[in-house]
């Protein structure tokens, strides 16, 4: 069985706050390290009442400082929001603090709405197509011998692996061209997954960082001791996604029994589409769904996300997933 990793948005549950969410993030990372997960990534989102990982580099430092072996990184940094120099300095600093444990995934979406993107005061006059140039500028800052006169300190010579994130063929093309590993957001945008994977693998050009294609796919897991309990837990994420798509983003709501059955057909169809890359159920159910997904995609690694309201139940879901993974291995 291929390696498993974790994607965490530090969810803020209804009735809770960011302080509790960030404590839960570190607690989950410490458990994940003991359970054998390969890496622990945090995601950059802004202006979202239910997500506490907006200052992603800061949260990465919090997690890396409280763990000792698991790789910690960004899944990802939304590069249009930042100067490549600032990103190089931040991740050069993280690599200096935690040598050999830091990953840097890069995305080209703002991770926010347009009003929030404007408030970030970055790239107001630039084109979305500047992302490839920004990636290459960042690569140069992190190289041993930068071509530009401005130096990233810390940053120059930092051996921080770069990843390209994507939910379309654009990221697949760029990752293939630059010879970088590719992480696809199939956990919420699976529509173009197979097309993007084929394009990436067929057009991959080896680089100093990577000699052959490497694909990591996002995958939702809601694992419990019974199928019924797992479906109940998954309803928090389902509610949150419907609220988000309806223009009502909020904190992660408590689970609701029979939620899917109460939805109107359009919302049910939307959830069936966007959350199709998911395993929901007891250990045996999750094992079968994990195996089927890996067989269908040929993924080299899965990044598991479990947006579960209760922290203890969220830990249990990841523990079950780790146990299933060991049995499949």
């Amino acid at each position: 069985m291929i390696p498993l990793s974790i994607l965490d948005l530090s969810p803020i549950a209804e009735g809770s706050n960011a302080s509790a969410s960030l404590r839960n993030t570190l607690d989950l990372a410490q458990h994940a390290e003991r359970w054998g997960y390969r890496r622990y990534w945090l995601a950059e989102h802004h202006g979202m009442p239910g997500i506490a990982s907006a200052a992603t580099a800061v949260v990465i430092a919090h997690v890396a400082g409280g763990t000792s072996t698991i790789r910690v990184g960004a899944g990802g940094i939304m590069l249009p929001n930042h100067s490549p120099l600032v990103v190089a300095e931040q991740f050069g600093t993280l690599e200096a603090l935690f040598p050999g444990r830091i990953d840097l995934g890069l995305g080209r979406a703002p991770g926010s709405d347009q009003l929030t993107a404007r408030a970030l005061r970055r790239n107001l006059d630039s084109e979305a197509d500047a992302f490839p140039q920004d990636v290459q500028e960042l690569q140069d800052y992190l190289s041993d011998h930068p071509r530009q006169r401005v130096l990233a300190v810390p940053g120059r010579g930092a051996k921080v692996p770069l990843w390209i994130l994507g939910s379309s063929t654009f990221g697949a093309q760029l990752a293939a061209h630059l010879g970088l590993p590719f992480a696809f957001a199939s956990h919420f945008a699976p529509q173009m997954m197979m097309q993007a994977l084929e394009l990436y693998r067929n057009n991959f050009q080896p680089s100093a960082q990577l000699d052959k294609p490497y694909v990591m796919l996002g995958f939702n897991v809601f694992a419990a001791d019974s199928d019924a309990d797992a479906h109940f837990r998954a309803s928090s994420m389902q509610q949150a996604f419907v609220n988000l798509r309806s223009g009502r983003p909020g904190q992660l709501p408590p689970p609701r029994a029979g939620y899917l059955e109460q939805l109107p057909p359009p919302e049910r169809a939307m959830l069936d589409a966007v959350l199709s890359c998911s395993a929901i159920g007891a250990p045996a159910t999750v094992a079968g769904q994990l195996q089927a997904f890996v067989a269908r995609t040929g993924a080299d690694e899965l990044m598991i996300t479990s947006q579960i309201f209760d922290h203890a139940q969220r830990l249990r879901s990841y523990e079950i997933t780790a146990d299933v993974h060991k049995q499949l291995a």
Side-chain angles (χ1 to χ4, degrees), residues 234-254:
S235 66
S236 292
M237 172 60 171
Q238 293 159 351
Q239 293 175 71
F241 216 101
V242 169
N243 292 341
L244 177 63
R245 288 294 178 93
S246 303
R248 298 177 283 108
Q251 296 180 331
L252 187 67

Side-chain angles (χ1 to χ4, degrees), residues 213-241:
Y214 193 92
V215 170
M216 179 160 58
L217 299 179
F219 193 72
N220 301 290
V221 177
F222 302 92
D225 294 318
S226 71
D227 286 355
D229 191 22
H231 281 278
F232 178 63
R233 295 183 192 186
S235 66
S236 292
M237 172 60 171
Q238 293 159 351
Q239 293 175 71
F241 216 101

Side-chain angles (χ1 to χ4, degrees), residues 39-55:
R39 60 187 97 238
Y40 194 100
W41 280 9
L42 287 303
E44 177 187 351
H45 292 275
H46 299 279
M48 301 289 285
I51 296 175
S53 56

Side-chain angles (χ1 to χ4, degrees), residues 4-66:
L4 298 185
S5 294
I6 290 178
L7 175 64
D8 185 15
L9 279 64
S10 296
I12 304 174
E14 287 184 10
S16 188
N17 55 46
S19 294
S21 297
L22 294 169
R23 286 195 298 272
N24 289 342
T25 281
L26 179 56
D27 185 51
L28 174 57
Q30 291 169 339
H31 279 86
E33 186 170 72
R34 292 196 295 272
W35 291 332
Y37 286 91
R38 172 169 289 188
R39 60 187 97 238
Y40 194 100
W41 280 9
L42 287 303
E44 177 187 351
H45 292 275
H46 299 279
M48 301 289 285
I51 296 175
S53 56
T56 315
V58 178
V59 186
I60 290 170
H62 172 62
V63 170

Side-chain angles (χ1 to χ4, degrees), residues 263-277:
L263 279 179
E267 282 83 356
R268 178 65 183 267
M270 181 272 290
L271 279 182
D272 288 344
V274 300
L275 300 180
S276 61
C277 296

Side-chain angles (χ1 to χ4, degrees), residues 91-296:
F91 281 79
T93 300
L94 287 168
E95 176 63 24
L97 290 168
F98 310 104
R101 294 181 55 211
I102 301 300
D103 296 328
L104 175 50
L106 301 168
R108 70 174 183 134
S112 63
D113 58 80
Q114 290 302 310
L115 187 63
T116 305
R118 179 168 291 274
L120 288 165
R121 303 182 187 279
R122 162 74 176 147
N123 276 4
L124 296 185
D125 301 315
S126 69
E127 299 290 334
D129 292 342
F131 178 63
Q133 288 72 41
D134 284 347
V135 172
Q136 290 176 304
E137 182 181 344
L138 175 57
Q139 282 184 307
D140 189 56
Y141 284 130
L142 294 173
S143 68
D144 290 323
H145 304 288
R147 296 185 301 274
Q148 47 210 333
R149 295 177 63 187
V150 176
L151 297 179
V153 183
R156 178 181 178 179
K159 302 297 186 288
V160 180
L162 299 186
W163 293 66
I164 299 297
L165 278 57
S167 58
S168 70
T169 57
F170 183 95
Q173 289 175 312
L174 181 61
H177 176 71
L178 297 178
L180 295 177
F182 181 48
F184 191 84
S186 37
H187 59 295
F188 73 90
Q191 290 80 4
M192 302 183 72
M193 177 181 67
M194 298 306 293
Q195 182 182 353
L197 297 187
E198 182 179 9
L199 191 154
Y200 171 68
R201 289 166 173 151
N202 289 343
N203 294 278
F204 182 84
Q205 301 177 28
S207 68
Q209 179 176 330
L210 193 64
D211 61 356
K212 62 182 180 180
Y214 193 92
V215 170
M216 179 160 58
L217 299 179
F219 193 72
N220 301 290
V221 177
F222 302 92
D225 294 318
S226 71
D227 286 355
D229 191 22
H231 281 278
F232 178 63
R233 295 183 192 186
S235 66
S236 292
M237 172 60 171
Q238 293 159 351
Q239 293 175 71
F241 216 101
V242 169
N243 292 341
L244 177 63
R245 288 294 178 93
S246 303
R248 298 177 283 108
Q251 296 180 331
L252 187 67
R256 283 173 53 187
Y259 175 70
L260 279 183
E261 291 71 25
Q262 301 165 20
L263 279 179
E267 282 83 356
R268 178 65 183 267
M270 181 272 290
L271 279 182
D272 288 344
V274 300
L275 300 180
S276 61
C277 296
S278 302
I280 306 175
T285 306
V286 168
Q289 292 169 338
L290 277 173
Q291 283 182 303
F293 184 70
V294 173
R296 178 163 69 94

Side-chain angles (χ1 to χ4, degrees), residues 76-95:
I77 292 296
M78 300 297 104
L79 200 48
N81 298 335
H82 310 280
S83 153
L85 176 60
V86 170
V87 176
E89 291 173 339
Q90 289 177 346
F91 281 79
T93 300
L94 287 168
E95 176 63 24

